[in-house]
Amino acid sequence: MQTLAAVLTVATATATAPQLPGPSLTLLDSIVLEESEENYVSGPLDMAWGPKGSILISDGYANAILEFDTSGRFVRVFGGTGEGPGEFLGIGAVFAGRDLVGAVDMRGAAIKLFDYETGESIGQVRLRPTMQPSSMTQVGDRMWVSGMDQDSWMTVGTVAMDSLVAIARGEVIGTIAFDRVPAPAPYQENPFMAGALGASMLDIGMTDMISSFAGSSYLLRSSLDGRHTLGAINLVPRIRRGAPDEQDVGAGADLDPRTFANEISVLRALSRDDANNVLVLHTDLLIEGMQVREITYYVSTVTADGTQCADTLVPTAAAGQPLVALRGRTLYVVDQTQAGNEVATRVTRYEVDPASCGNAAGEHSGKPTGG
């Protein structure tokens, strides 16, 4: 079996080969979240998982992190709207570690940290105003953050968890610096790309990392220190629109945001499973006026032997704007269903099978449980 290094090396050369149907999805379960007039999901932005399997959702409407247990029961809320300790002006990416919960405050240019057991605010880590963090993950004793720094044009940073907590508590002076994986040329050349599509995603392995960019078709594999690029793969679309051509978004390109958004796919999430298969999520948007009318999600895979399996349609409800996330080969869908005047938020889990690429219609097997 080829290693992922070999996959990333050869896949670009074989990208023009005929694409097989998308990977199969097996429905695992579906739960309805316990919500109240005070605590409910309205604008889900990102998802993380607590040490006991709980679900943590950063919500843009509440400017808070809502926690639900494995059965969907509401546990508690971290944060809220404001400028005080543990409050957010514009919440973004969320993470959960063994002892900590945290989220990016995009407007406040900081990462806010909470004690997971007590729910109390620990403090904040200030960020440079040129930084746009879009994903965070704790691996071992380190925090990894990806995004875009429009000053250094780097996209990945890391810090020891002990140092992160010490900075948040004000015990030492410091921050997180993006010092690895340069941003692709179109981001550096065109302000629109860096602003509207400045998100990047990251998966950390034992000896390497894979990064991706919202407006690019490429996955990059690098050494953990960021000094060596080990390979790249071009993700070829099957039924999604695909990433913009670099000549259309380079220096001097005049882009109309709404027209542009209706013509491209946006890469939203990235993960790897235990077999070193890569899973990615893309979206196609339909924007009318200033409103997002429709979001279509697609999941694709690259197996450990180099086979690309593109664009299975992810089933989502018509109401609201869903959140879709990846954890290994598990696909999570947070969406809302409506019966009369009642609206319920559900979390549905699917298993993505990178080895199965024979389901052209994107059908799904299994029966939901739990609501």
Side-chain angles (χ1 to χ4, degrees):
M1 180 175 293
Q2 289 178 298
T3 65
L4 189 60
V7 174
L8 293 171
T9 300
V10 304
T12 301
T14 60
T16 56
Q19 294 296 293
L20 297 172
S24 65
L25 304 182
T26 299
L27 180 58
L28 299 176
D29 54 36
S30 184
I31 59 173
V32 174
L33 300 183
E34 177 188 82
E35 299 173 283
S36 66
E37 291 185 2
E38 293 78 24
N39 297 297
Y40 58 92
V41 178
S42 179
L45 298 173
D46 194 23
M47 178 185 293
W49 295 267
K52 298 180 181 179
S54 64
I55 298 169
L56 295 112
I57 297 172
S58 61
D59 190 275
Y61 181 80
N63 261 328
I65 306 165
L66 285 74
E67 182 180 18
F68 300 87
D69 68 14
T70 55
S71 66
R73 183 181 65 88
F74 175 76
V75 179
R76 57 187 162 175
V77 61
F78 300 86
T81 300
E83 299 183 60
E87 295 178 333
F88 297 89
L89 293 173
I91 199 169
V94 62
F95 86 96
R98 290 186 296 271
D99 307 312
L100 296 175
V101 171
V104 176
D105 188 350
M106 299 297 291
R107 289 182 58 195
I111 295 175
K112 306 290 180 72
L113 299 181
F114 302 85
D115 184 288
Y116 180 76
E117 294 299 327
T118 66
E120 296 179 355
S121 171
I122 291 175
Q124 66 179 5
V125 177
R126 301 293 303 181
L127 300 172
R128 292 169 54 174
T130 55
M131 292 176 65
Q132 298 174 248
S134 51
S135 72
M136 299 188 295
T137 182
Q138 181 179 343
V139 180
D141 62 355
R142 301 194 69 81
M143 167 67 74
W144 292 81
V145 184
S146 67
M148 193 78 62
D149 187 338
Q150 295 188 39
D151 183 24
S152 68
W153 291 114
M154 293 293 179
T155 63
V156 175
T158 184
V159 62
M161 293 302 300
D162 289 347
S163 298
L164 189 75
V165 173
I167 295 169
R169 288 177 173 162
E171 298 170 354
V172 298
I173 297 174
T175 185
I176 298 175
F178 287 171
D179 57 4
R180 303 157 204 230
V181 187
Y187 285 93
Q188 302 185 41
E189 296 170 352
N190 193 307
F192 174 82
M193 287 290 291
L197 296 172
S200 72
M201 285 61 67
L202 186 66
D203 180 275
I204 300 297
M206 293 295 293
T207 60
D208 66 356
M209 58 182 168
I210 294 182
S211 53
S212 59
F213 306 92
S216 171
S217 64
Y218 285 91
L219 301 180
L220 299 178
R221 179 171 173 261
S222 307
S223 58
L224 289 177
D225 61 12
R227 296 177 182 175
H228 305 286
T229 299
L230 304 176
I233 181 170
N234 183 20
L235 297 171
V236 179
R238 185 172 66 89
I239 56 177
R240 72 179 188 272
R241 297 169 186 156
D245 293 331
E246 288 199 7
Q247 62 267 26
D248 295 333
V249 294
D254 186 15
L255 303 174
D256 177 80
R258 289 187 294 272
T259 301
F260 186 65
N262 287 331
E263 294 176 348
I264 67 166
S265 299
V266 177
L267 201 153
R268 294 285 188 179
L270 161 72
S271 71
R272 274 188 287 186
D273 65 12
D274 292 339
N276 229 9
N277 300 305
V278 182
L279 296 86
V280 292
L281 278 174
H282 287 90
T283 59
D284 286 356
L285 300 178
L286 175 60
I287 298 178
E288 295 178 354
M290 299 299 292
Q291 298 294 320
V292 177
R293 297 297 184 186
E294 183 179 325
I295 304 178
T296 306
Y297 282 87
Y298 300 96
V299 61
S300 304
T301 60
V302 181
T303 63
D305 66 358
T307 302
Q308 285 197 52
C309 191
D311 299 349
T312 290
L313 179 67
V314 177
T316 59
Q321 295 186 12
L323 165 66
V324 182
L326 286 167
R327 189 186 190 194
R329 63 167 60 190
T330 303
L331 177 72
Y332 290 77
V333 177
V334 181
D335 59 8
Q336 294 179 320
T337 59
Q338 186 166 354
N341 293 326
E342 297 295 323
V343 176
T345 303
R346 66 182 181 185
V347 179
T348 305
R349 297 190 312 146
Y350 298 90
E351 182 178 11
V352 183
D353 184 0
S356 176
C357 204
N359 196 338
E363 298 172 352
H364 319 288
S365 59
K367 296 181 179 180
T369 62

